Amino acid sequence: LEVKSVSLSRKKNHAEFPDAVTQRGKKHLENLILANQQGYESYLFFLIQIENCKSFSIASDIDPVYFKVFQEALKKNVNVLCYDCKFYNKGIEINNKIKMFLND
């Protein structure tokens, strides 16, 4: 399981990952693919740190290499989850499952 904290929003109610080129994120994806190929169930979990988010996508214009490896991970059956958060005075809770849009 790899958890990615998502804080980028360039359009209203829409979140994106990554917010910068991420060699480390690419390596994590490659390791999830490898683990899956070795028989493990692999998950990539995007946790959106933005309230009232309605959709999510990979910021392919920011890091096209990460986007390419992400597409490969999907083809290799890495499971992807995406949820937003609800913020309270006393903490944060996982809130709603968010629809993911896959760029071409």
Side-chain angles (χ1 to χ4, degrees):
L1 171 66
E2 177 68 24
V3 179
K4 296 296 183 192
S5 180
V6 179
S7 59
L8 176 64
S9 180
R10 298 185 284 180
K11 292 185 269 183
K12 186 176 173 86
N13 300 325
H14 182 78
E16 297 175 277
F17 183 88
D19 59 5
V21 173
T22 176
Q23 283 288 74
R24 186 170 165 230
K26 176 182 151 297
K27 180 181 174 187
H28 292 159
L29 275 176
E30 291 168 341
N31 286 333
L32 288 173
I33 292 168
L34 180 61
N36 197 37
Q37 291 171 336
Q38 293 174 348
Y40 295 96
E41 198 169 346
S42 299
Y43 286 85
L44 178 59
F45 182 20
F46 292 104
L47 185 60
I48 300 170
Q49 304 289 316
I50 303 165
E51 282 194 77
N52 301 319
C53 186
K54 303 293 183 220
S55 60
F56 170 81
S57 65
I58 300 298
S60 59
D61 60 320
I62 292 175
D63 191 344
V65 174
Y66 181 87
F67 178 65
K68 181 180 177 188
V69 178
F70 176 78
Q71 288 179 312
E72 180 69 18
L74 291 177
K75 289 178 189 171
K76 299 289 185 176
N77 297 316
V78 171
N79 298 290
V80 179
L81 302 170
C82 186
Y83 284 80
D84 72 348
C85 293
K86 181 74 176 165
F87 298 88
Y88 300 97
N89 289 337
K90 295 185 180 186
I92 301 171
E93 289 182 4
I94 293 176
N95 194 30
N96 295 312
K97 187 172 186 177
I98 301 299
K99 181 172 178 61
M100 185 180 321
F101 291 96
L102 302 177
N103 313 14
D104 293 328

